[in-house]
Amino acid sequence: QVQLVESGGGLVQPGGSLRLSCAASGSIFVSIYAMGWYRQAPGKQRELVARFNVGGSTTYADSVKGRFTIARDNAKNTVSLQMNSLKPDDTAVYYCNAERIIGSGSDYWGQGTQVTVSS
């Protein structure tokens, strides 16, 4: 069983930065899982923010391109999200996700961490 634990959320002023981290307990094989971050704002659907695809390429939501950067450390089973130039529209609960792409098996979600961008 894999658990994903997020950290690093909080309150930040517009234009500020935050770094989110996700630690996976158990093995997440990058050859069969896509790993990344989703977010859900109040009253809105959960949406993809950024992720590593199987094969190593990255996908970013258009709204965060140039401001957010996803990174990972395979040896430590961690994935992080550096968020710069934050805007009030970035306010949401951010979730770490591991989605099985190759073969059958479970997907995994973290418990979520709140990011609030406000002056």
Side-chain angles (χ1 to χ4, degrees), residues 56-115:
S57 64
T58 54
T59 299
Y60 289 90
D62 287 343
S63 60
V64 308
K65 285 180 181 177
R67 300 187 298 121
F68 291 11
T69 303
I70 191 170
R72 69 183 176 192
D73 185 331
N74 292 337
K76 296 181 179 180
N77 262 348
T78 60
V79 63
S80 62
L81 185 69
Q82 179 65 42
M83 306 185 293
N84 299 328
S85 302
L86 283 160
K87 306 174 181 180
D89 284 350
D90 296 317
T91 296
V93 178
Y94 284 70
Y95 297 90
C96 183
N97 166 260
E99 179 184 355
R100 181 144 186 171
I101 303 298
I102 307 297
S104 61
S106 300
D107 298 339
Y108 301 99
W109 290 92
Q111 81 284 357
T113 186
Q114 177 70 47
V115 171

